[in-house]
Amino acid sequence: MQGLGAAEVRERLERGQGNAMPSSTGRSFWRIMQANLFTLFNLIVGGAFALLLVLGYWQDALFGLFVIANVVIGVAQEFRAKITLSRLAVLNAPKARVLREGTTIEAPTAEVVLDDILVLAAGDQVTADAEVLEAHGLDVDESLLTGEADPVASGPGRELMSGSTVVAGSGLARVIRVGGDSYAARITAEAKQFSLVRSELRGGIARIIRWITVLLLPVGAIVVNGQMQAAGGWAVAIESGAWREAAVAATASLIAMIPQGLVFMTSVALAVGAVKLAQHEVLVQELAAVEGLARVDMLCLDKTGTLTEGRMVLDGVEPLAAADLAPAAQAVLAWMGADRDANATTRALVERFTAPPTEQPVRAIEFSSRRKWSAVSFADGPARGTWVLGAPDIVLADVPDAADALARFDERATAGERTVVLARTDAILDPPVEAPEGERPPEPALPADLAAVALVSFREKVRDDAHETLGYFREQEVELCVISGDDPRTVAAVAREAGIHHEGPGYDARQLPEEDAALDAIMAEHRVFGRVTPEQKKAMVLSLQRLGHTVAMTGDGVNDALALKHADLGIAMGSGAAATRAVARLVLLDGQFSRLPRVVAEGRQVIANVERLAKLFLSKTTYAILFAVVFGALLWPFPFLPRQLSIVDGLTIGLPALVLALLPNIQRYRPGFLRRAARFCIPSGLVVGGTLISVVAYAYLGGYAPPVVQTAAVITLTLTALWVLVILSRPFTWITSLVVVAAYAGLGVVFAIPAAVDFLQLGAAPLELLLVAVGASAIGSLLLEVLHRIVSRSDPR
């Protein structure tokens, strides 16, 4: 077997038949900038910002900082995810060994071509899909790709998947698929496409902004016309230059409608939550994921690496030949557990058996997944003879009177335990047979006259924190579903040990239907599944979503990547595959499953606090729209300058929001965030708006000058809107009480500082108008309180 020549390799590379992996992860940086910058919302607000700068009213253009911040946050969030996804790789082997022109050479993974012959040995990663041509005890670990925990014996003719690892033996394999056509590329191509996590907060706020953006155009036309008419008409305003002040007033009216700070403060709340989680070894890959787990009602769990630690522990030893396990057998088990060629299962024996025979064995046969047994022979001492450890159905196949041992084995297998048998014979293993040069020695045969000594059972080590963590989710009414590529019986046993109540074996996913309706029926009934392929995991997640669940998926292998990608929230273990960590929304860096309740608590805090912020900001949007329409329709001058509104917003919304966004809050998530916000903010906004309009109408009809009217408007709006803050700050704590007191005091501080009064261009209002403003604010506050109590009683909980 010679392999390809240099000319053949060059020809295939030129035809694009090399193993370079596709690197597209969605939109380019320029497309990301376009999507976040060139929106109708940004066009209107940014246009108003630019207009004020051109006119020289930079003091009134402070609202532009929020727009800039929102664009930066959006671009940074998506670009950070794009960079993370661009690093996603299932294949981490930098080089591959290939046979070319009769010589084994090392070639970069990207330069492996179609029809190349891979030279495989223990520890090698399969770098492209290949068909085995020659195998010598070749065992391949495909657990990261399929979830199957046991190595797979791979003989000639079997296909090897890229991304799998050789754990034993050697062989040659011809490359049959490369690059984007390989299994590793296909399974991760979908995962590498950027998508935002499903977020009720972000979706609700986006809908609000769309509605406001649509309203801005017609309301803006009314406002602009009203301000120009109030300045003497279009012709007079343009000729006299009064259009400049009219433009500023119109801008103030429109900008007041926009909750510029809501998206920003939501991002701040999410970012602070992400930082706090990072202190607890939880990496948040996308800010909205902080709220995600608080909304989840179905948690899908991978078994290996999530519920379990990914290692085997000794469960029990049942003697078959005597009441107690003989010291010789214990010594042999100690030797097998300590042997350097022991596999992961056998190594668990050293937990209990620590004293191997003092004599050295005369021959040992290492374990092979093809044979499913290992053996060792001692010529002297108490352990004299040959001892075999392996699968009972193989080792005891030709042993008389083994029916009882095999029956017990079947019981343990049904219970999900991994059980092997220790058998013994007086005969000593023959020396290994010398094979002709270039050929592999024949497989050794089981020794004759074996007698069963003991059944040895192993189980996967369930994480110490799994039982308590799963109990927490049950208390929170989150359903649990275990999805694994391993044997359904093993999966069911692990699930029961972890505290998931389940009777009988798990559902064998090889029997799952492909039709959506039939799959949905099974997913509605069963909660423990084994032998699940990566594509089936994805289909099962989508099925649960069709059934109305908000789904979180945990996992650590590449076989989990597609399911994590399509779940509402993907959670990866820090010790898992790079592909899985890259596609997940949350990564448990230390692999501690017990971190999840903390994530739930942070998500609840964010959701509850952002809902409170939304009510605060959207109440302002409601009364701002009312101002704009009424003053525009009546052709009255708008009673605020943009800078005056900035101060009012700072006292009633901005500064309090910084505190309210970060307060502890363990309120359980309830769907319907947008509906509840609307039920509160629309009546509240109408009351605040009606109170202000009545005071401004009194001032205009009384013939007061514009600066005096603006003073009365600032006092009325601040005092009335602050009662909205009072309502939303309940139940009062020392922090929320301090925030409310500071906000009321802030209004007095503004009027007590002459420089602030001059900057805001406020006039000295007569006592009569001040009393009207304060009295109207008191009545408005009383109406807000009554409305709030009515809405609270009718709000379903």
Side-chain angles (χ1 to χ4, degrees):
M1 202 172 294
Q2 297 295 307
L4 298 177
E8 294 173 302
V9 172
R10 282 197 303 272
E11 180 184 353
R12 283 165 171 75
L13 287 173
E14 289 171 359
R15 290 204 303 256
Q17 295 177 334
N19 200 37
M21 291 293 173
S23 59
S24 173
T25 57
R27 298 190 289 194
S28 65
F29 179 72
W30 173 239
R31 292 288 302 278
I32 294 173
M33 283 290 295
Q34 284 180 308
N36 285 277
L37 186 59
F38 301 121
T39 64
L40 180 59
F41 177 82
N42 285 344
L43 177 64
I44 294 173
V45 180
F49 175 68
L51 175 64
L52 292 180
L53 292 181
V54 169
L55 293 177
Y57 293 90
W58 62 267
Q59 305 95 325
D60 294 312
L62 299 178
F63 62 85
L65 298 177
F66 285 108
V67 178
I68 296 171
N70 289 339
V71 172
V72 169
I73 289 172
V75 171
Q77 179 174 302
E78 183 170 347
F79 192 64
R80 178 176 177 269
K82 177 181 174 65
I83 292 174
T84 301
L85 292 174
S86 68
R87 297 176 182 147
L88 186 153
V90 176
L91 299 180
N92 51 34
K95 293 195 179 282
R97 284 184 293 118
V98 294
L99 184 66
R100 289 181 180 168
E101 298 180 337
T103 303
T104 299
I105 65 169
E106 285 193 346
T109 299
E111 295 181 13
V112 173
V113 299
L114 197 66
D115 297 323
D116 249 332
I117 295 178
L118 300 176
V119 180
L120 302 173
D124 289 343
Q125 188 177 53
V126 181
T127 54
D129 290 1
E131 180 182 355
V132 178
L133 301 176
E134 182 180 307
H136 306 290
L138 188 65
D139 291 341
V140 178
D141 179 3
E142 299 177 346
S143 60
L144 282 181
L145 299 173
T146 66
E148 170 61 60
D150 295 326
V152 180
S154 303
R158 186 177 187 276
E159 284 192 13
L160 303 180
M161 295 180 287
S162 53
S164 55
T165 304
V166 178
V167 294
S170 61
L172 301 176
R174 181 177 62 85
V175 174
I176 57 175
R177 285 183 294 272
V178 292
D181 295 328
S182 68
Y183 184 83
R186 293 199 311 273
I187 200 173
T188 57
E190 189 174 349
K192 291 180 70 173
Q193 296 304 313
F194 175 78
S195 65
L196 291 171
V197 67
R198 296 178 181 90
S199 165
E200 184 182 7
L201 290 182
R202 182 166 53 201
I205 292 171
R207 287 174 62 188
I208 292 167
I209 290 176
R210 284 197 299 271
W211 295 338
I212 293 172
T213 302
V214 171
L215 285 173
L216 278 175
L217 295 178
V219 173
I222 295 174
V223 169
V224 170
N225 179 68
Q227 297 309 303
M228 296 297 281
Q229 296 297 338
W234 285 84
V236 173
I238 292 173
E239 182 178 347
S240 65
W243 67 269
R244 297 167 66 91
E245 287 74 19
V248 173
T251 301
S253 177
L254 292 176
I255 294 303
M257 295 168 51
I258 302 169
Q260 312 110 324
L262 180 56
V263 176
F264 177 72
M265 288 308 304
T266 301
S267 297
V268 168
L270 291 168
V272 170
V275 171
K276 289 162 71 175
L277 288 174
Q279 296 170 351
H280 293 273
E281 300 296 319
V282 178
L283 172 63
V284 179
Q285 305 246 57
E286 186 181 341
L287 290 182
V290 176
E291 63 143 310
L293 196 54
R295 297 188 293 106
V296 164
D297 62 4
M298 176 66 72
L299 178 59
C300 294
L301 306 160
D302 179 46
K303 176 182 68 66
T304 306
T306 304
L307 283 181
T308 68
E309 296 180 359
R311 66 185 181 92
M312 304 299 294
V313 294
L314 183 62
D315 189 49
V317 178
E318 181 181 358
L320 297 174
D324 296 314
L325 190 65
Q330 297 183 36
V332 169
L333 290 175
W335 184 92
M336 289 180 166
D339 182 25
R340 66 177 184 177
D341 294 326
N343 59 23
T345 300
T346 310
R347 281 195 293 270
L349 289 168
V350 299
E351 295 176 9
R352 184 179 305 179
F353 304 107
T354 58
T358 56
E359 298 81 14
Q360 291 299 312
V362 293
R363 190 186 174 198
I365 299 175
E366 75 281 359
F367 179 83
S368 164
S369 60
R370 181 182 295 276
R371 292 190 309 271
K372 297 190 181 301
W373 58 268
S374 62
V376 60
S377 288
F378 294 90
D380 303 300
R384 186 188 183 284
T386 297
W387 302 79
V388 177
L389 187 70
D393 53 337
I394 302 294
V395 174
L396 303 180
D398 299 322
V399 175
D401 302 323
D404 181 60
L406 290 174
R408 298 187 193 185
F409 162 68
D410 288 338
E411 291 177 6
R412 284 162 176 71
T414 303
E417 297 179 358
R418 184 171 300 180
T419 303
V420 296
V421 66
L422 178 67
R424 181 189 176 278
T425 179
D426 290 332
I428 302 298
L429 290 170
D430 295 329
V433 178
E434 294 291 336
E437 185 176 352
E439 295 184 13
R440 185 175 177 84
E443 285 285 340
L446 272 170
D449 301 324
L450 286 170
V453 175
L455 287 177
V456 184
S457 299
F458 301 87
R459 59 179 174 82
E460 290 191 73
K461 176 68 169 68
V462 174
R463 292 180 179 272
D464 295 333
D465 53 12
H467 199 282
E468 181 180 354
T469 304
L470 295 181
Y472 170 84
F473 282 111
R474 281 195 301 273
E475 292 173 1
Q476 302 303 314
E477 300 177 357
V478 177
E479 290 191 62
L480 303 170
C481 182
V482 182
I483 302 175
S484 174
D486 218 336
D487 188 295
R489 297 173 300 183
T490 303
V491 179
V494 169
R496 282 191 292 269
E497 185 177 353
I500 298 176
H501 304 299
H502 178 77
E503 298 296 332
Y507 192 96
D508 192 329
R510 290 173 293 189
Q511 301 173 9
L512 282 176
E514 294 185 2
E515 298 79 13
D516 288 350
L519 178 61
D520 292 352
I522 291 173
M523 294 304 300
E525 181 180 353
H526 295 273
R527 288 292 176 263
V528 176
F529 297 85
R531 300 297 187 206
V532 186
T533 66
E535 291 78 10
Q536 284 178 319
K537 287 190 177 185
K538 167 190 166 183
M540 294 164 82
V541 166
L542 295 176
S543 174
L544 290 170
Q545 290 173 335
R546 287 195 298 272
L547 292 170
H549 293 289
T550 301
V551 182
M553 175 76 194
T554 68
D556 67 338
V558 176
N559 61 304
D560 302 315
L562 289 180
L564 264 66
K565 178 71 176 181
H566 287 85
D568 296 281
L569 183 67
I571 306 167
M573 297 296 166
S575 58
T580 309
R581 295 196 306 271
V583 78
R585 312 298 187 178
L586 298 175
V587 180
L588 308 182
L589 295 176
D590 58 1
Q592 294 298 314
F593 193 46
S594 57
R595 301 292 185 188
L596 291 183
R598 176 74 187 191
V599 179
V600 173
E602 282 298 335
R604 286 182 173 173
Q605 175 175 318
V606 168
I607 287 179
N609 287 341
V610 170
E611 181 170 329
R612 181 155 53 182
L613 291 179
K615 292 176 179 178
L616 197 61
F617 279 98
L618 297 180
S619 295
K620 175 220 172 183
T621 297
T622 302
Y623 62 68
I625 293 173
L626 183 62
F627 296 166
V629 173
V630 170
F631 291 124
L634 295 177
L635 306 182
W636 286 354
F638 192 68
F640 296 102
L641 294 176
R643 70 189 76 174
Q644 294 168 350
L645 277 178
S646 295
I647 290 297
V648 174
D649 287 351
L651 292 174
T652 61
I653 299 176
L655 297 178
L658 287 172
V659 178
L660 296 180
L662 308 178
L663 290 179
N665 200 321
I666 58 173
Q667 177 181 325
R668 180 173 292 190
Y669 166 75
R670 293 184 299 144
F673 143 75
L674 197 55
R675 176 183 56 81
R676 287 193 302 276
R679 282 169 58 87
F680 177 88
C681 69
I682 291 176
S684 298
L686 291 177
V687 170
V688 174
T691 303
L692 177 77
I693 291 170
S694 63
V695 172
V696 171
Y698 178 87
Y700 279 148
L701 294 176
Y704 291 104
V708 174
V709 176
Q710 290 168 359
T711 298
V714 167
I715 293 173
T716 304
L717 181 57
T718 303
L719 292 177
T720 312
L722 276 177
W723 199 258
V724 177
L725 175 64
V726 169
I727 293 172
L728 293 176
S729 297
R730 296 169 185 161
F732 287 115
T733 64
W734 71 269
I735 296 179
T736 55
S737 300
L738 185 62
V739 168
V740 171
V741 171
Y744 276 103
L747 179 62
V749 171
V750 168
F751 279 94
I753 301 175
V757 173
D758 292 341
F759 174 77
L760 296 175
Q761 298 184 6
L762 296 172
L767 180 61
E768 176 192 355
L769 186 57
L770 290 177
L771 291 175
V772 169
V774 173
S777 300
I779 296 172
S781 299
L782 179 61
L783 285 174
L784 284 171
E785 185 66 32
V786 172
L787 276 173
H788 170 64
R789 293 178 184 275
I790 294 173
V791 170
S792 296
R793 282 198 212 97
S794 61
D795 187 19
R797 292 199 176 259

